[in-house]
C-alpha cells in the first residue's frame, strides 16, 4: 500500500474534530457551577461519588412529593436560527414516576420561544443510558435552557451532559429600507465613524469640529456604566477633542481629590496606577486604559490633557489620603478629632455607611473644626503653599463634608431622592468651580453617565410616565442653565450586542420599530454620529431611544435633552484592567 492515501486519511480524520461541548461542567466535577436547581416541593440533590457514569461523580435527585415542577437547568448562549442543537446526557433512575428531558429556546430579550419538539421521558427504573435531544434552533432564538424535570416521586442520577451545535446560522433578514426623507437627511447631516480603535487616525471625526463649534464644555455620556463599545468611542472622542480642538482638561464622575492627585502618577508615566488611584472601578477597564496612556504620554508636554473629577463620592484608591493630607497641612490636630474622623468611612463600599449618632456628630464637629482652622490660618497657608493649593484643599474639604451627608442619606436613611439631588447639586458646583477657579478659560471634557449630564429630564418618559425624573434636578440641568450653548452633550445608544461590567453579561433587547436605534440600524452604518442641535430633521419629533438605560420604553424629543447621539450597532461588555 502506498503511503500517500494513508496520510490523506489521517489528515482527514484529524480535521474531523468532534463538535465543541458548550457545557463546561456537564459532569458536575465543579459542583453545580453553571447549573441551577429549583425545588418547590422539597426535592433534594447531592453530588454522588459512588454512583457515576464517568468522571468522579454524578448528581442525584430524590423527590418524595407528588406533582410540582422540581427541576435542574442550565443555559447555553450564542445560538442562531437554522442551527441544530444536540443535547446528550447519561441518566439512571430508580422508580421515577414521571420526569422529562427538555430544551426551551429564548430570544435576546429573554422571551420564551417554546420548547423544542424533541422531548424525552425519564420515568421508570433503569441502569445508566444515554438520552439525546436534537432540535433545530428557531428563528430569533439566541439561547437555550436545558431542563431536567421531575414531576412524580423517585430517584434520578444525571451525568456527562453534552451540548453541541451544528450547521450554519441563517443570515439575518435585511432591515426594512428607510424612507427617502430620513435617508436624505442622514446622508446630509450624520457623520459615519470608521472605527473605535483608539490609535487609529481621526480623519473620520473631522466633521465634529463644525458640529461642536465653539462649545467650551463637551459632555460624554454613557448608558449604563457597562458599555465597552461606548467607553472605546468616548476615549477616542476625547483624544480627538484634545489633539484637534484644544480641550485641555477631562473631568470624570469620580472623586475631585483623587483624580487631581493622580496627575502626579501620569507625570511619572504610570497610566495604569493613575487609573486605579483615581476613577471608580467601573472605568478601570481595557477600553479606558488607552486614554490614561494618552494622558501619561502628554503629561509633561506642552499640551497635556489634565485629569480631574467633579464627584462628591470617593472613588479611587487615593481617596483615603484626603483627611490625612488636610491634617498635615493644618499642623497638629487634636487626637480626639483624628480619632473621630478615623471612626467614620463615608464610602460607597460595604459595609453600608450607618454610623452611630454620637460618632457621626463627633466627626462632623471635627470636620467643622478643620474648616475653621483652614479659614483662620488661610493667609499664612497661602504664603506657604500658594493660593491654588489652598483653594483646592478648601474645595476638597467642603466636598468631603457633602460626601459624608450624601452617604448618610443614601445608606443610613435610605432617602435616595434627597441623596441624589444633593450629589448632583454638588457635582454641578464642583464642575463650575473647576471651570471658573481651578481651570479658568480651559476647554473641558466631562465623562459621566448621560443621566447626570442631560437636560430637561422631566420631559423624558419611561413606560409613558415622567415619574422617574420629575423630582430630580440633575447636574446637567444646572450646567446648561449656567453655560447655555457653551455646553455640548453627547449621548450614546446601541441597537444590539452584549453589555456587562466584567461579569455577568447580558444581551441588549431589540429596539422598537421606528426608534432612533432602529432607524440608524436600517441606515446601514455600524458607527454613526447623529447631530441633534439645530435642525434635527426626522429626529426632532418625540421618539423612543435608550441613551440612559437599556430598557426600550424611554421616549422624548431628544434635541431637548441632548445635542448629539453616537450610535453603535453592536455593544460589547467591558473588560477589567488589573492594577498590575
Amino acid at each position: 500500500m502506498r503511503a500517500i492515501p494513508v496520510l490523506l486519511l489521517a489528515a482527514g480524520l484529524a480535521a474531523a474534530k468532534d463538535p465543541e461541548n458548550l457545557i463546561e461542567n456537564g459532569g458536575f466535577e465543579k459542583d453545580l457551577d453553571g447549573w441551577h436547581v429549583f425545588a418547590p416541593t422539597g426535592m433534594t440533590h447531592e453530588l454522588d461519588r459512588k454512583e457515576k457514569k464517568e468522571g468522579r461523580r454524578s448528581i442525584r435527585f430524590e423527590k418524595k412529593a407528588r406533582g410540582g415542577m422540581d427541576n435542574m437547568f442550565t443555559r447555553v448562549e450564542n445560538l442562531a436560527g437554522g442551527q441544530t442543537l444536540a443535547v446528550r446526557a447519561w441518566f439512571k433512575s430508580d422508580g421515577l414516576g414521571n420526569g422529562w428531558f427538555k430544551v426551551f429556546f429564548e430570544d435576546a430579550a429573554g422571551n420564551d420561544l417554546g420548547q423544542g419538539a424533541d422531548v424525552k421521558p425519564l420515568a421508570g427504573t433503569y441502569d445508566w443510558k444515554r438520552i439525546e435531544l436534537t432540535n433545530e434552533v428557531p428563528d430569533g432564538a439566541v439561547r437555550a435552557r436545558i431542563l431536567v424535570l421531575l414531576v412524580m416521586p423517585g430517584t434520578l442520577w444525571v451525568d456527562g451532559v453534552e451540548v453541541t451545535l451544528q450547521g450554519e446560522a441563517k443570515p439575518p433578514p435585511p432591515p426594512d429600507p428607510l424612507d427617502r426623507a430620513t435617508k436624505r437627511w442622514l446622508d446630509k447631516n450624520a457623520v459615519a465613524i470608521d472605527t473605535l480603535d483608539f490609535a487609529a487616525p481621526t480623519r473620520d471625526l473631522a466633521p465634529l469640529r463644525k458640529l461642536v463649534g465653539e462649545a467650551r464644555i463637551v459632555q460624554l455620556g454613557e448608558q449604563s456604566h457597562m458599555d465597552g463599545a461606548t467607553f472605546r468611542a468616548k476615549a477616542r472622542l476625547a483624544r480627538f477633542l484634545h489633539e484637534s480642538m484644544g480641550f485641555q482638561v477631562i473631568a470624570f464622575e469620580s472623586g475631585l481629590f483623587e483624580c487631581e492627585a493622580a496627575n502626579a502618577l501620569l507625570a511619572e508615566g504610570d497610566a495604569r496606577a493613575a487609573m486605579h488611584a483615581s476613577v471608580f472601578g467601573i472605568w478601570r477597564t481595557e477600553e479606558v486604559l488607552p486614554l490614561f496612556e494618552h494622558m501619561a504620554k502628554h503629561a509633561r508636554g506642552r499640551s497635556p490633557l489634565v485629569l480631574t473629577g467633579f464627584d462628591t463620592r470617593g472613588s479611587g484608591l487615593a481617596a483615603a489620603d484626603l483627611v490625612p493630607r488636610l491634617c498635615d497641612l493644618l499642623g497638629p490636630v487634636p487626637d480626639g478629632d483624628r480619632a473621630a474622623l478615623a471612626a467614620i468611612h463615608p464610602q460607597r463600599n460595604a459595609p453600608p455607611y450607618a454610623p452611630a449618632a454620637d460618632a457621626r456628630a463627633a466627626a462632623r464637629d471635627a470636620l467643622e473644626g478643620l474648616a475653621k482652622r483652614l479659614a483662620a490660618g488661610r493667609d499664612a497657608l497661602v504664603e506657604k503653599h500658594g493660593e491654588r493649593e489652598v483653594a483646592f484643599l478648601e474645595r476638597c474639604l467642603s466636598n468631603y463634608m457633602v460626601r459624608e451627608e450624601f452617604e448618610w442619606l443614601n445608606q443610613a436613611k435610605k432617602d435616595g431622592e434627597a441623596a441624589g439631588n444633593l450629589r448632583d447639586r454638588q457635582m454641578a458646583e464642583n464642575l463650575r468651580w473647576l471651570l471658573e477657579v481651578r481651570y479658568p478659560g480651559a476647554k473641558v471634557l466631562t465623562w459621566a453617565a448621560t443621566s447626570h449630564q442631560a437636560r430637561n429630564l422631566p420631559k423624558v418618559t419611561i413606560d409613558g410616565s415622567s415619574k422617574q425624573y420629575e423630582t430630580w434636578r440633575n447636574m446637567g440641568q444646572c450646567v446648561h442653565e449656567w453655560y447655555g450653548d457653551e455646553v455640548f452633550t453627547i449621548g450614546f445608544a446601541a441597537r444590539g450586542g452584549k453589555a456587562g461590567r466584567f461579569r455577568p453579561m447580558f444581551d441588549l433587547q431589540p429596539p422598537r420599530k421606528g426608534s432612533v436605534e432602529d432607524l440608524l440600524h436600517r441606515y446601514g452604518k455600524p458607527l454613526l454620529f447623529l447631530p441633534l442641535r439645530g435642525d434635527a430633521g426626522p429626529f426632532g419629533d418625540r421618539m423612543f431611544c435608550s441613551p440612559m438605560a437599556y430598557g426600550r420604553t424611554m421616549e422624548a424629543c431628544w434635541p431637548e435633552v441632548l445635542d448629539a447621539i453616537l450610535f453603535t450597532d453592536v455593544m460589547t461588555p467591558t473588560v477589567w484592567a488589573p492594577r498590575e
Side-chain angles (χ1 to χ4, degrees), residues 342-355:
I344 65 165
H345 301 280
Q347 302 294 338
R348 59 188 298 272
N349 301 320
Y353 181 62

Side-chain angles (χ1 to χ4, degrees), residues 104-108 110-116 138-143:
F104 289 84
F105 294 97
E106 300 174 357
D107 66 14
N111 299 311
D112 194 339
L113 301 182
Q115 70 181 33
D139 290 343
V142 299
R143 71 178 65 85

Side-chain angles (χ1 to χ4, degrees), residues 112 205 227 276 350 367 388 424 473 505 524 567:
D112 194 339
L205 301 179
D227 322 308
H276 280 264
L367 289 170
R388 181 177 171 82
D424 270 72
R473 180 174 169 79
M505 303 173 190
F567 168 75

Side-chain angles (χ1 to χ4, degrees), residues 143-194:
R143 71 178 65 85
R145 180 160 46 98
I146 317 301
L147 185 78
V148 177
L149 175 66
L150 286 77
V151 181
M152 300 297 284
T155 304
L156 182 72
W157 289 263
V158 186
D159 201 358
V161 185
E162 295 180 0
V163 180
T164 58
L165 198 59
Q166 297 176 333
E168 297 295 328
K170 291 181 182 178
D176 295 337
L178 279 177
D179 64 274
R180 290 183 179 179
T182 300
K183 185 178 184 305
R184 281 198 302 268
W185 188 92
L186 287 169
D187 287 342
K188 181 180 178 181
N189 296 281
V191 178
I193 295 175
D194 293 340

Side-chain angles (χ1 to χ4, degrees), residues 279-447:
V279 297
F280 282 117
I282 51 178
W283 294 307
R284 299 173 202 165
T285 73
E286 294 293 343
E287 298 83 10
V288 181
L289 182 58
L291 175 60
F292 275 80
E293 291 172 340
H294 175 82
M295 288 190 283
K297 176 182 176 182
H298 293 275
R300 290 182 175 274
R302 293 181 178 180
S303 302
L305 181 61
V306 178
L307 176 65
T308 191
F310 54 78
D311 206 341
T312 188
R313 304 192 82 175
S315 56
L317 300 177
D321 297 336
L322 172 59
V323 171
R325 182 170 168 185
L326 283 166
C327 292
D328 292 341
L329 177 78
L330 295 172
V333 174
D335 290 343
D337 285 356
R338 283 185 179 270
L341 292 170
I344 65 165
H345 301 280
Q347 302 294 338
R348 59 188 298 272
N349 301 320
Y353 181 62
D358 56 347
R360 180 169 185 258
R364 295 292 301 189
D365 288 344
L367 289 170
E368 292 286 354
L370 289 178
K372 290 177 181 178
R373 290 186 62 188
L374 188 54
R378 195 179 195 285
D379 290 344
L381 290 170
V382 168
E383 185 175 348
K384 183 177 181 180
H385 300 284
E387 172 64 30
R388 181 177 171 82
E389 175 71 0
V390 173
F392 172 65
L393 290 175
E394 284 177 327
R395 190 74 204 174
C396 289
L397 177 56
S398 65
N399 195 49
Y400 187 87
M401 295 173 75
V402 175
R403 174 193 302 178
E404 191 281 332
E405 184 178 358
F406 167 83
E407 300 295 356
W408 180 71
L409 285 170
N410 192 45
Q411 300 186 55
K413 302 294 288 183
K414 308 296 183 184
D415 190 342
E417 180 179 318
N421 279 305
L422 175 66
R423 180 188 179 202
D424 270 72
R425 183 171 68 246
Q426 182 68 14
M427 289 199 298
E429 293 288 356
N430 283 341
L431 183 57
R432 180 157 66 172
W433 181 84
L434 289 167
L435 288 162
E436 298 180 7
V437 178
R438 186 75 169 170
Y439 302 104
K443 299 175 75 173
V444 176
L445 303 170
T446 65
W447 180 303

